[in-house]
Amino acid sequence: MDEYEEMYGIEDDFEQQFADELEVVAELDSDDPQGGPLCPSTGRSPPRGKLSAWRIREPRSFEEALASADELLGAQSTTSTHSAPGGLQGTTGLTAEETKELEAFTGKQESLTPKPKRRRQDVAKKLQFGCTDDEWDDARVHSRWGIVTLQHSCTLDISGLVALPSPSRSIDTSQKHVLRRPPPMGDFITVTDSAGNRVYLAQKEEEDPTKAVDARALRNSHYSLGLLSVPVEVLREQVAEKHHQQLVEESQRLTNMLSRRLDGDSRVMDSAELLDDEQEAVEDGKDAASLLWVDRFSPTRYTELLSDDFTNRCLLKWLKLWDTVVFGREKPSRKTKAPQADGRLQSKEQQNSRFKSKTQMTEEILEAELDQYHRPKYKVALLSGPPGLGKTTLAHIIAKHAGYNVVEMNASDDRSAELFQKRIDMATQMKSVLGANEKPNCLVIDEIDGAPSAAINVLLATLNRKESWDTDSEASGVTALKKKKKKESVLLRPIICICNDLYVPALRQLRQQAFILNFPQTQPSRLIQRLAEISRHQGMRVETGALMALCEKTDNDIRSCINTLQFLHGRGQRQLDQRAIQSVKVGLKDQNKGLFSIWQEIFQLPRTKRKRIGNNGFSAAEVGSLSSAGDQRLQHIVHLASSSGEQEKLTNGLYDNFLSMKLKDPSLRGVCQALEWLSFSDLLNEAVMHLQNFSLARYLPFLPAAFHLLFAATSVPRISYPNSQYEAIAKMQHTKNALVALLAEVPPSIRSRVDPRCLSMDILSLLLDIICPKLRPVNPQLYSTREKQQLVELIDTMLCYSLTYRQDRTPEGQYIYLLEPNVEEAVRFPGVPPRRQLTYQAKQMIARELELERMRRAEAALLSRNLPQEENQEKETKTEATKGKVDQAGVRNHQQRLENIIKQTVTETKPEVDFFGRVIVLKEKPEVNKASGEPEKVNAELLMGRAVSNSDVWFRFNEGVSNAVRRNVYVKELL
Ligand SMILES: Nc1ncnc2c1ncn2[C@@H]1O[C@H](COP(=O)(O)OP(=O)(O)OP(=O)(O)O)[C@@H](O)[C@H]1O
């Protein structure tokens, strides 16, 4: 207070009056960063930094203000390096002497300018905590609730309202805790010194982790407002982790590079390669995070392969067989086996040779002699097996290991035969010219099962070029030039083909000419080891049980396993147990199992697996939560069925085979349920197909699951390919066609009352009985009148429905008469006694009668059509007296037709010539009845020939071949 009075010469009642309130306000508004000037009366900073000192002091005159400003400027210019207003002093780091000098200097200016504020150190000393000046300099106030650190010349302002300029934040916080008055909120501790001065230390709770969580929750509520989608802590963690990972990868890469260089087996890497690798390393560092693990951890050496050793060795051996022709190395001569002394042993071996194992056969192929061009017997190796087992990787590594430059092509992509040819030629006839060590090419054709037959034929032609060369070599010297040309095109490089399905029809021929290697499943132990390595490398802790579960889930598919691990790693899962693997939905392979294996899995119970060691990590509750074995089976079958894209065929297979399974219940309840399921599935299918309601399609895979639960047995089921549906459809189509053909010929009066459904359901069966009357096997001439009548009715009925009998020959060579159209099949039901059949003779007689009747009717129809014409002609004949008898009797049908034909025919009359080409002059010219005045008729007669025009019989001959059944017809039969 006295200092304030010194400075301004007045006493501020306001401060005294409202000291408590001001302190409380100051307490609340304690985050003035600069500290602000001290309150002159209390030695504390005023409630609000901006308002305090200058606002409350007395107003000065203009001259006073100018003078003080001048003085202040002068002082600043001299002490510009030292002076800092108020609380900033501490930051200048002045020594005690310098401070004193500064005080002396400012003391001289007192009369002109307002006094600078007293340093806080002095104010603090006034409290007299019993510390000397030096002690104050280094004093540290420790408390449970916070640390107050006083460093160097920094002073303690116990008011707690002035922010001390301090390098550490602890002072700032401590200022809030040492108060002159009890804090308005929270607990505090009272401290009284020997002089009776009392201060209050605000009590601050130690940081509670739950509070931190609360803070986070609070922040989360802010995030929900859309401020930051990911908490900042998580972001920080991610950045740190990424950084760490990059470092780990970088170090790993460098280690690999070093080990590769040091590796004795590996070839010496030239400087260019090293440079490349280093560059790669830099690039990889960038891309490492985005790289797929399957690519990053792809094996680079033979020893890193996971595939079966026998397969690896066989392929390598086969490739080595090419060494003679490709590298010019001699094939190492094989040791001939010592002749067996024991005759008995020899005979035993001979016996065994009849039953060779697959391994023996493979080895025999590999030991077979080379052909005349020093190539192995099989020019192409065919690797087959399920996807993701590392076939392509194996081909690449083995080819590289054997010293080849690998050229890969994908047969599914390059599908045209020309492109196929071009690529094969390029790969097998050209040489890599890039790089210091040029290597011969080895062609790897991936996915050959996806290639069309034309492309496979191109490959086969390439393999068999040798033959064409041989024939040429045997030919005479004329083809010698060609020979040389062809010799170059003989295949001299190895080709490795890779496929998933060895038995696609297009590969049939290639199979016979290829060295086939079936890729077995990867051994789980090896795969688990590799997966453990990868996960460890990536900082994941994965239990062995979890890895086993993963291998099982993916059918030991390397690609699927590694991809699943990467996926889980990407989701931030660093620790994996068996349950995590089982609960995750990824990792299920896009399996495309064959239909037979699916049917087999449906009708066969899975073999119970041995309980694994370390698999008992579940508590009782966990075991309870796991789905039962039945549930798992059901899920497996549902998954299997939905992954096969051929739902209809799958259902057909179930339908055709389920009755041949071993049925457990004698009451056949299972069969009834299965039939219900089938009809339900049929309805579903109909709804999906007809109504386009594809949401129902998800229920279709439950049919196989139901069949599995109903019929699965431990024994291996015998499954046949389903044909019944195809046969049924073909039969139905055939029957429909017969009915349509029948109705098409039926007269409209009947057709209007008969539709195909009514015909097949109501009429046909009875009709077939009607057309099989009892007829005596005698000549129809001998039939009684009743029998004749019956025959007439039969013929009439058959004609009405356009039925007839057609002669046919059975495969055994027997002649039979078949109903035409053969609607008999439409009403022939299996298990029903066959209906009575007419004899061959009866059918023959009926067929003949039908034919005759048809002709008669046709003629009658024609006649009836011609009748009006005839009437007209009759009228004409009456008027024309010159008309002959023929006209009076009416123009005959055949004559009319003949005349029409003649009118239409344009005949060129050529003069008759003799053998020497001279025109023959006719001696007797036909007489022209000029009197009758009918030149046209004479002409017509001339053209027709007298015999025809005057005859009642004429025939027309159509030139050409006829396959019609011929029989002799006498003219008298026609009359
Ligand atoms: N030993 C191994 N270690 C790590 N990864 C491997 C190993 N072997 C193969 N892979 C990886 O597995 C993946 C699948 O291998 P690959 O393509 O050779 O299988 P595939 O049997 O040819 O499959 P597809 O029939 O689908 O072509 C590749 O990405 C490969 O990098």
mmCIF file with all atom_site columns, all heavy atoms in Angstrom, residues 384-391 499-501 521-522 554-560 589-592:
data_model
loop_
_atom_site.group_PDB
_atom_site.id
_atom_site.type_symbol
_atom_site.label_atom_id
_atom_site.label_alt_id
_atom_site.label_comp_id
_atom_site.label_asym_id
_atom_site.label_entity_id
_atom_site.label_seq_id
_atom_site.pdbx_PDB_ins_code
_atom_site.Cartn_x
_atom_site.Cartn_y
_atom_site.Cartn_z
_atom_site.occupancy
_atom_site.B_iso_or_equiv
_atom_site.pdbx_formal_charge
_atom_site.auth_seq_id
_atom_site.auth_comp_id
_atom_site.auth_asym_id
_atom_site.auth_atom_id
_atom_site.pdbx_PDB_model_num
ATOM 1   N N   . SER A 1 384 ? -0.901  -79.120 -61.170 1.00 0.00 ? 384 SER A N   1
ATOM 2   C CA  . SER A 1 384 ? -2.331  -78.917 -60.902 1.00 0.00 ? 384 SER A CA  1
ATOM 3   C C   . SER A 1 384 ? -2.580  -78.995 -59.404 1.00 0.00 ? 384 SER A C   1
ATOM 4   O O   . SER A 1 384 ? -1.901  -79.728 -58.687 1.00 0.00 ? 384 SER A O   1
ATOM 5   C CB  . SER A 1 384 ? -3.153  -79.985 -61.613 1.00 0.00 ? 384 SER A CB  1
ATOM 6   O OG  . SER A 1 384 ? -2.993  -81.214 -60.964 1.00 0.00 ? 384 SER A OG  1
ATOM 7   N N   . GLY A 1 385 ? -3.555  -78.226 -58.960 1.00 0.00 ? 385 GLY A N   1
ATOM 8   C CA  . GLY A 1 385 ? -3.900  -78.240 -57.538 1.00 0.00 ? 385 GLY A CA  1
ATOM 9   C C   . GLY A 1 385 ? -4.794  -77.072 -57.191 1.00 0.00 ? 385 GLY A C   1
ATOM 10  O O   . GLY A 1 385 ? -4.980  -76.165 -58.001 1.00 0.00 ? 385 GLY A O   1
ATOM 11  N N   . PRO A 1 386 ? -5.350  -77.111 -55.984 1.00 0.00 ? 386 PRO A N   1
ATOM 12  C CA  . PRO A 1 386 ? -6.245  -76.029 -55.567 1.00 0.00 ? 386 PRO A CA  1
ATOM 13  C C   . PRO A 1 386 ? -5.533  -74.676 -55.541 1.00 0.00 ? 386 PRO A C   1
ATOM 14  O O   . PRO A 1 386 ? -4.299  -74.646 -55.474 1.00 0.00 ? 386 PRO A O   1
ATOM 15  C CB  . PRO A 1 386 ? -6.677  -76.433 -54.157 1.00 0.00 ? 386 PRO A CB  1
ATOM 16  C CG  . PRO A 1 386 ? -6.197  -77.809 -53.955 1.00 0.00 ? 386 PRO A CG  1
ATOM 17  C CD  . PRO A 1 386 ? -5.161  -78.110 -54.950 1.00 0.00 ? 386 PRO A CD  1
ATOM 18  N N   . PRO A 1 387 ? -6.288  -73.595 -55.576 1.00 0.00 ? 387 PRO A N   1
ATOM 19  C CA  . PRO A 1 387 ? -5.642  -72.279 -55.614 1.00 0.00 ? 387 PRO A CA  1
ATOM 20  C C   . PRO A 1 387 ? -4.945  -71.928 -54.303 1.00 0.00 ? 387 PRO A C   1
ATOM 21  O O   . PRO A 1 387 ? -5.320  -72.421 -53.244 1.00 0.00 ? 387 PRO A O   1
ATOM 22  C CB  . PRO A 1 387 ? -6.806  -71.312 -55.890 1.00 0.00 ? 387 PRO A CB  1
ATOM 23  C CG  . PRO A 1 387 ? -8.030  -72.059 -55.548 1.00 0.00 ? 387 PRO A CG  1
ATOM 24  C CD  . PRO A 1 387 ? -7.740  -73.501 -55.681 1.00 0.00 ? 387 PRO A CD  1
ATOM 25  N N   . GLY A 1 388 ? -3.945  -71.089 -54.444 1.00 0.00 ? 388 GLY A N   1
ATOM 26  C CA  . GLY A 1 388 ? -3.287  -70.508 -53.268 1.00 0.00 ? 388 GLY A CA  1
ATOM 27  C C   . GLY A 1 388 ? -2.283  -71.403 -52.571 1.00 0.00 ? 388 GLY A C   1
ATOM 28  O O   . GLY A 1 388 ? -1.854  -71.102 -51.470 1.00 0.00 ? 388 GLY A O   1
ATOM 29  N N   . LEU A 1 389 ? -1.879  -72.495 -53.206 1.00 0.00 ? 389 LEU A N   1
ATOM 30  C CA  . LEU A 1 389 ? -0.914  -73.380 -52.554 1.00 0.00 ? 389 LEU A CA  1
ATOM 31  C C   . LEU A 1 389 ? 0.523   -73.039 -52.952 1.00 0.00 ? 389 LEU A C   1
ATOM 32  O O   . LEU A 1 389 ? 1.464   -73.627 -52.451 1.00 0.00 ? 389 LEU A O   1
ATOM 33  C CB  . LEU A 1 389 ? -1.206  -74.842 -52.903 1.00 0.00 ? 389 LEU A CB  1
ATOM 34  C CG  . LEU A 1 389 ? -2.553  -75.391 -52.440 1.00 0.00 ? 389 LEU A CG  1
ATOM 35  C CD1 . LEU A 1 389 ? -2.598  -76.884 -52.644 1.00 0.00 ? 389 LEU A CD1 1
ATOM 36  C CD2 . LEU A 1 389 ? -2.788  -75.086 -50.971 1.00 0.00 ? 389 LEU A CD2 1
ATOM 37  N N   . GLY A 1 390 ? 0.657   -72.141 -53.889 1.00 0.00 ? 390 GLY A N   1
ATOM 38  C CA  . GLY A 1 390 ? 2.007   -71.701 -54.272 1.00 0.00 ? 390 GLY A CA  1
ATOM 39  C C   . GLY A 1 390 ? 2.534   -72.383 -55.523 1.00 0.00 ? 390 GLY A C   1
ATOM 40  O O   . GLY A 1 390 ? 3.746   -72.547 -55.660 1.00 0.00 ? 390 GLY A O   1
ATOM 41  N N   . LYS A 1 391 ? 1.665   -72.735 -56.439 1.00 0.00 ? 391 LYS A N   1
ATOM 42  C CA  . LYS A 1 391 ? 2.110   -73.413 -57.674 1.00 0.00 ? 391 LYS A CA  1
ATOM 43  C C   . LYS A 1 391 ? 2.924   -72.447 -58.543 1.00 0.00 ? 391 LYS A C   1
ATOM 44  O O   . LYS A 1 391 ? 4.016   -72.776 -59.001 1.00 0.00 ? 391 LYS A O   1
ATOM 45  C CB  . LYS A 1 391 ? 0.902   -73.926 -58.482 1.00 0.00 ? 391 LYS A CB  1
ATOM 46  C CG  . LYS A 1 391 ? 0.081   -74.948 -57.758 1.00 0.00 ? 391 LYS A CG  1
ATOM 47  C CD  . LYS A 1 391 ? -1.045  -75.444 -58.586 1.00 0.00 ? 391 LYS A CD  1
ATOM 48  C CE  . LYS A 1 391 ? -2.090  -74.395 -58.887 1.00 0.00 ? 391 LYS A CE  1
ATOM 49  N NZ  . LYS A 1 391 ? -2.810  -73.898 -57.702 1.00 0.00 ? 391 LYS A NZ  1
ATOM 50  N N   . CYS A 1 499 ? -2.501  -75.286 -63.630 1.00 0.00 ? 499 CYS A N   1
ATOM 51  C CA  . CYS A 1 499 ? -3.971  -75.271 -63.694 1.00 0.00 ? 499 CYS A CA  1
ATOM 52  C C   . CYS A 1 499 ? -4.547  -75.675 -62.341 1.00 0.00 ? 499 CYS A C   1
ATOM 53  O O   . CYS A 1 499 ? -3.859  -76.267 -61.516 1.00 0.00 ? 499 CYS A O   1
ATOM 54  C CB  . CYS A 1 499 ? -4.464  -76.211 -64.777 1.00 0.00 ? 499 CYS A CB  1
ATOM 55  S SG  . CYS A 1 499 ? -4.126  -77.918 -64.427 1.00 0.00 ? 499 CYS A SG  1
ATOM 56  N N   . ASN A 1 500 ? -5.799  -75.325 -62.142 1.00 0.00 ? 500 ASN A N   1
ATOM 57  C CA  . ASN A 1 500 ? -6.503  -75.746 -60.929 1.00 0.00 ? 500 ASN A CA  1
ATOM 58  C C   . ASN A 1 500 ? -7.247  -77.055 -61.177 1.00 0.00 ? 500 ASN A C   1
ATOM 59  O O   . ASN A 1 500 ? -7.289  -77.926 -60.339 1.00 0.00 ? 500 ASN A O   1
ATOM 60  C CB  . ASN A 1 500 ? -7.511  -74.682 -60.485 1.00 0.00 ? 500 ASN A CB  1
ATOM 61  C CG  . ASN A 1 500 ? -6.821  -73.427 -59.994 1.00 0.00 ? 500 ASN A CG  1
ATOM 62  O OD1 . ASN A 1 500 ? -7.198  -72.331 -60.348 1.00 0.00 ? 500 ASN A OD1 1
ATOM 63  N ND2 . ASN A 1 500 ? -5.798  -73.574 -59.196 1.00 0.00 ? 500 ASN A ND2 1
ATOM 64  N N   . ASP A 1 501 ? -7.852  -77.145 -62.348 1.00 0.00 ? 501 ASP A N   1
ATOM 65  C CA  . ASP A 1 501 ? -8.634  -78.332 -62.670 1.00 0.00 ? 501 ASP A CA  1
ATOM 66  C C   . ASP A 1 501 ? -7.964  -79.073 -63.821 1.00 0.00 ? 501 ASP A C   1
ATOM 67  O O   . ASP A 1 501 ? -7.920  -78.581 -64.950 1.00 0.00 ? 501 ASP A O   1
ATOM 68  C CB  . ASP A 1 501 ? -10.059 -77.905 -63.051 1.00 0.00 ? 501 ASP A CB  1
ATOM 69  C CG  . ASP A 1 501 ? -10.965 -79.096 -63.226 1.00 0.00 ? 501 ASP A CG  1
ATOM 70  O OD1 . ASP A 1 501 ? -10.479 -80.238 -63.055 1.00 0.00 ? 501 ASP A OD1 1
ATOM 71  O OD2 . ASP A 1 501 ? -12.156 -78.903 -63.533 1.00 0.00 ? 501 ASP A OD2 1
ATOM 72  N N   . GLN A 1 521 ? -1.764  -80.732 -50.613 1.00 0.00 ? 521 GLN A N   1
ATOM 73  C CA  . GLN A 1 521 ? -2.038  -79.641 -49.658 1.00 0.00 ? 521 GLN A CA  1
ATOM 74  C C   . GLN A 1 521 ? -0.743  -79.271 -48.922 1.00 0.00 ? 521 GLN A C   1
ATOM 75  O O   . GLN A 1 521 ? 0.083   -80.142 -48.652 1.00 0.00 ? 521 GLN A O   1
ATOM 76  C CB  . GLN A 1 521 ? -3.045  -80.124 -48.610 1.00 0.00 ? 521 GLN A CB  1
ATOM 77  C CG  . GLN A 1 521 ? -4.444  -80.311 -49.148 1.00 0.00 ? 521 GLN A CG  1
ATOM 78  C CD  . GLN A 1 521 ? -5.228  -79.025 -49.132 1.00 0.00 ? 521 GLN A CD  1
ATOM 79  O OE1 . GLN A 1 521 ? -4.800  -78.056 -48.513 1.00 0.00 ? 521 GLN A OE1 1
ATOM 80  N NE2 . GLN A 1 521 ? -6.341  -78.996 -49.833 1.00 0.00 ? 521 GLN A NE2 1
ATOM 81  N N   . THR A 1 522 ? -0.617  -78.013 -48.601 1.00 0.00 ? 522 THR A N   1
ATOM 82  C CA  . THR A 1 522 ? 0.562   -77.587 -47.822 1.00 0.00 ? 522 THR A CA  1
ATOM 83  C C   . THR A 1 522 ? 0.470   -78.198 -46.426 1.00 0.00 ? 522 THR A C   1
ATOM 84  O O   . THR A 1 522 ? -0.612  -78.251 -45.853 1.00 0.00 ? 522 THR A O   1
ATOM 85  C CB  . THR A 1 522 ? 0.558   -76.051 -47.687 1.00 0.00 ? 522 THR A CB  1
ATOM 86  O OG1 . THR A 1 522 ? 0.299   -75.495 -48.958 1.00 0.00 ? 522 THR A OG1 1
ATOM 87  C CG2 . THR A 1 522 ? 1.862   -75.530 -47.157 1.00 0.00 ? 522 THR A CG2 1
ATOM 88  N N   . THR A 1 554 ? -8.947  -72.091 -43.923 1.00 0.00 ? 554 THR A N   1
ATOM 89  C CA  . THR A 1 554 ? -8.656  -71.741 -45.317 1.00 0.00 ? 554 THR A CA  1
ATOM 90  C C   . THR A 1 554 ? -8.179  -72.921 -46.140 1.00 0.00 ? 554 THR A C   1
ATOM 91  O O   . THR A 1 554 ? -7.696  -72.738 -47.253 1.00 0.00 ? 554 THR A O   1
ATOM 92  C CB  . THR A 1 554 ? -7.573  -70.648 -45.363 1.00 0.00 ? 554 THR A CB  1
ATOM 93  O OG1 . THR A 1 554 ? -6.434  -71.166 -44.697 1.00 0.00 ? 554 THR A OG1 1
ATOM 94  C CG2 . THR A 1 554 ? -8.001  -69.372 -44.707 1.00 0.00 ? 554 THR A CG2 1
ATOM 95  N N   . ASP A 1 555 ? -8.265  -74.111 -45.567 1.00 0.00 ? 555 ASP A N   1
ATOM 96  C CA  . ASP A 1 555 ? -7.789  -75.312 -46.265 1.00 0.00 ? 555 ASP A CA  1
ATOM 97  C C   . ASP A 1 555 ? -6.315  -75.191 -46.629 1.00 0.00 ? 555 ASP A C   1
ATOM 98  O O   . ASP A 1 555 ? -5.900  -75.509 -47.743 1.00 0.00 ? 555 ASP A O   1
ATOM 99  C CB  . ASP A 1 555 ? -8.600  -75.545 -47.551 1.00 0.00 ? 555 ASP A CB  1
ATOM 100 C CG  . ASP A 1 555 ? -9.845  -76.324 -47.272 1.00 0.00 ? 555 ASP A CG  1
ATOM 101 O OD1 . ASP A 1 555 ? -9.941  -76.846 -46.165 1.00 0.00 ? 555 ASP A OD1 1
ATOM 102 O OD2 . ASP A 1 555 ? -10.710 -76.403 -48.153 1.00 0.00 ? 555 ASP A OD2 1
ATOM 103 N N   . ASN A 1 556 ? -5.550  -74.664 -45.721 1.00 0.00 ? 556 ASN A N   1
ATOM 104 C CA  . ASN A 1 556 ? -4.097  -74.503 -45.885 1.00 0.00 ? 556 ASN A CA  1
ATOM 105 C C   . ASN A 1 556 ? -3.732  -73.661 -47.110 1.00 0.00 ? 556 ASN A C   1
ATOM 106 O O   . ASN A 1 556 ? -2.718  -73.903 -47.758 1.00 0.00 ? 556 ASN A O   1
ATOM 107 C CB  . ASN A 1 556 ? -3.406  -75.859 -45.980 1.00 0.00 ? 556 ASN A CB  1
ATOM 108 C CG  . ASN A 1 556 ? -3.626  -76.670 -44.740 1.00 0.00 ? 556 ASN A CG  1
ATOM 109 O OD1 . ASN A 1 556 ? -3.634  -76.130 -43.649 1.00 0.00 ? 556 ASN A OD1 1
ATOM 110 N ND2 . ASN A 1 556 ? -3.850  -77.954 -44.902 1.00 0.00 ? 556 ASN A ND2 1
ATOM 111 N N   . ASP A 1 557 ? -4.562  -72.725 -47.415 1.00 0.00 ? 557 ASP A N   1
ATOM 112 C CA  . ASP A 1 557 ? -4.297  -71.824 -48.537 1.00 0.00 ? 557 ASP A CA  1
ATOM 113 C C   . ASP A 1 557 ? -3.381  -70.701 -48.032 1.00 0.00 ? 557 ASP A C   1
ATOM 114 O O   . ASP A 1 557 ? -3.781  -69.910 -47.173 1.00 0.00 ? 557 ASP A O   1
ATOM 115 C CB  . ASP A 1 557 ? -5.635  -71.271 -49.031 1.00 0.00 ? 557 ASP A CB  1
ATOM 116 C CG  . ASP A 1 557 ? -5.476  -70.300 -50.173 1.00 0.00 ? 557 ASP A CG  1
ATOM 117 O OD1 . ASP A 1 557 ? -4.376  -69.748 -50.318 1.00 0.00 ? 557 ASP A OD1 1
ATOM 118 O OD2 . ASP A 1 557 ? -6.442  -70.093 -50.909 1.00 0.00 ? 557 ASP A OD2 1
ATOM 119 N N   . ILE A 1 558 ? -2.177  -70.652 -48.566 1.00 0.00 ? 558 ILE A N   1
ATOM 120 C CA  . ILE A 1 558 ? -1.189  -69.678 -48.072 1.00 0.00 ? 558 ILE A CA  1
ATOM 121 C C   . ILE A 1 558 ? -1.705  -68.257 -48.271 1.00 0.00 ? 558 ILE A C   1
ATOM 122 O O   . ILE A 1 558 ? -1.638  -67.413 -47.386 1.00 0.00 ? 558 ILE A O   1
ATOM 123 C CB  . ILE A 1 558 ? 0.155   -69.825 -48.821 1.00 0.00 ? 558 ILE A CB  1
ATOM 124 C CG1 . ILE A 1 558 ? 0.624   -71.271 -48.784 1.00 0.00 ? 558 ILE A CG1 1
ATOM 125 C CG2 . ILE A 1 558 ? 1.202   -68.916 -48.249 1.00 0.00 ? 558 ILE A CG2 1
ATOM 126 C CD1 . ILE A 1 558 ? 1.851   -71.538 -49.628 1.00 0.00 ? 558 ILE A CD1 1
ATOM 127 N N   . ARG A 1 559 ? -2.253  -68.038 -49.457 1.00 0.00 ? 559 ARG A N   1
ATOM 128 C CA  . ARG A 1 559 ? -2.698  -66.675 -49.786 1.00 0.00 ? 559 ARG A CA  1
ATOM 129 C C   . ARG A 1 559 ? -3.790  -66.217 -48.833 1.00 0.00 ? 559 ARG A C   1
ATOM 130 O O   . ARG A 1 559 ? -3.732  -65.126 -48.280 1.00 0.00 ? 559 ARG A O   1
ATOM 131 C CB  . ARG A 1 559 ? -3.204  -66.659 -51.227 1.00 0.00 ? 559 ARG A CB  1
ATOM 132 C CG  . ARG A 1 559 ? -3.498  -65.266 -51.726 1.00 0.00 ? 559 ARG A CG  1
ATOM 133 C CD  . ARG A 1 559 ? -4.250  -65.295 -53.022 1.00 0.00 ? 559 ARG A CD  1
ATOM 134 N NE  . ARG A 1 559 ? -3.417  -65.667 -54.126 1.00 0.00 ? 559 ARG A NE  1
ATOM 135 C CZ  . ARG A 1 559 ? -3.732  -66.618 -55.011 1.00 0.00 ? 559 ARG A CZ  1
ATOM 136 N NH1 . ARG A 1 559 ? -4.859  -67.273 -54.884 1.00 0.00 ? 559 ARG A NH1 1
ATOM 137 N NH2 . ARG A 1 559 ? -2.950  -66.897 -56.015 1.00 0.00 ? 559 ARG A NH2 1
ATOM 138 N N   . SER A 1 560 ? -4.752  -67.092 -48.606 1.00 0.00 ? 560 SER A N   1
ATOM 139 C CA  . SER A 1 560 ? -5.866  -66.733 -47.730 1.00 0.00 ? 560 SER A CA  1
ATOM 140 C C   . SER A 1 560 ? -5.387  -66.454 -46.312 1.00 0.00 ? 560 SER A C   1
ATOM 141 O O   . SER A 1 560 ? -5.829  -65.500 -45.675 1.00 0.00 ? 560 SER A O   1
ATOM 142 C CB  . SER A 1 560 ? -6.865  -67.881 -47.674 1.00 0.00 ? 560 SER A CB  1
ATOM 143 O OG  . SER A 1 560 ? -7.871  -67.690 -48.580 1.00 0.00 ? 560 SER A OG  1
ATOM 144 N N   . LYS A 1 589 ? -12.208 -69.000 -47.990 1.00 0.00 ? 589 LYS A N   1
ATOM 145 C CA  . LYS A 1 589 ? -11.691 -68.944 -49.361 1.00 0.00 ? 589 LYS A CA  1
ATOM 146 C C   . LYS A 1 589 ? -12.823 -68.869 -50.364 1.00 0.00 ? 589 LYS A C   1
ATOM 147 O O   . LYS A 1 589 ? -13.914 -69.376 -50.107 1.00 0.00 ? 589 LYS A O   1
ATOM 148 C CB  . LYS A 1 589 ? -10.891 -70.208 -49.618 1.00 0.00 ? 589 LYS A CB  1
ATOM 149 C CG  . LYS A 1 589 ? -9.434  -69.936 -49.748 1.00 0.00 ? 589 LYS A CG  1
ATOM 150 C CD  . LYS A 1 589 ? -8.684  -71.191 -49.785 1.00 0.00 ? 589 LYS A CD  1
ATOM 151 C CE  . LYS A 1 589 ? -9.044  -72.058 -50.954 1.00 0.00 ? 589 LYS A CE  1
ATOM 152 N NZ  . LYS A 1 589 ? -8.170  -73.184 -51.119 1.00 0.00 ? 589 LYS A NZ  1
ATOM 153 N N   . ASP A 1 590 ? -12.534 -68.279 -51.505 1.00 0.00 ? 590 ASP A N   1
ATOM 154 C CA  . ASP A 1 590 ? -13.533 -68.310 -52.566 1.00 0.00 ? 590 ASP A CA  1
ATOM 155 C C   . ASP A 1 590 ? -13.420 -69.687 -53.226 1.00 0.00 ? 590 ASP A C   1
ATOM 156 O O   . ASP A 1 590 ? -13.062 -69.834 -54.375 1.00 0.00 ? 590 ASP A O   1
ATOM 157 C CB  . ASP A 1 590 ? -13.294 -67.170 -53.573 1.00 0.00 ? 590 ASP A CB  1
ATOM 158 C CG  . ASP A 1 590 ? -11.863 -67.146 -54.060 1.00 0.00 ? 590 ASP A CG  1
ATOM 159 O OD1 . ASP A 1 590 ? -11.027 -67.760 -53.376 1.00 0.00 ? 590 ASP A OD1 1
ATOM 160 O OD2 . ASP A 1 590 ? -11.596 -66.541 -55.097 1.00 0.00 ? 590 ASP A OD2 1
ATOM 161 N N   . GLN A 1 591 ? -13.730 -70.678 -52.381 1.00 0.00 ? 591 GLN A N   1
ATOM 162 C CA  . GLN A 1 591 ? -13.564 -72.052 -52.846 1.00 0.00 ? 591 GLN A CA  1
ATOM 163 C C   . GLN A 1 591 ? -14.553 -72.349 -53.953 1.00 0.00 ? 591 GLN A C   1
ATOM 164 O O   . GLN A 1 591 ? -15.690 -71.940 -53.906 1.00 0.00 ? 591 GLN A O   1
ATOM 165 C CB  . GLN A 1 591 ? -13.865 -73.027 -51.710 1.00 0.00 ? 591 GLN A CB  1
ATOM 166 C CG  . GLN A 1 591 ? -12.832 -73.003 -50.630 1.00 0.00 ? 591 GLN A CG  1
ATOM 167 C CD  . GLN A 1 591 ? -13.413 -73.518 -49.341 1.00 0.00 ? 591 GLN A CD  1
ATOM 168 O OE1 . GLN A 1 591 ? -14.557 -73.215 -49.003 1.00 0.00 ? 591 GLN A OE1 1
ATOM 169 N NE2 . GLN A 1 591 ? -12.633 -74.278 -48.629 1.00 0.00 ? 591 GLN A NE2 1
ATOM 170 N N   . ASN A 1 592 ? -14.088 -73.075 -54.884 1.00 0.00 ? 592 ASN A N   1
ATOM 171 C CA  . ASN A 1 592 ? -15.012 -73.520 -55.916 1.00 0.00 ? 592 ASN A CA  1
ATOM 172 C C   . ASN A 1 592 ? -14.806 -75.022 -56.059 1.00 0.00 ? 592 ASN A C   1
ATOM 173 O O   . ASN A 1 592 ? -14.128 -75.499 -56.937 1.00 0.00 ? 592 ASN A O   1
ATOM 174 C CB  . ASN A 1 592 ? -14.715 -72.777 -57.223 1.00 0.00 ? 592 ASN A CB  1
ATOM 175 C CG  . ASN A 1 592 ? -15.875 -72.871 -58.146 1.00 0.00 ? 592 ASN A CG  1
ATOM 176 O OD1 . ASN A 1 592 ? -16.916 -73.416 -57.777 1.00 0.00 ? 592 ASN A OD1 1
ATOM 177 N ND2 . ASN A 1 592 ? -15.710 -72.374 -59.347 1.00 0.00 ? 592 ASN A ND2 1
#
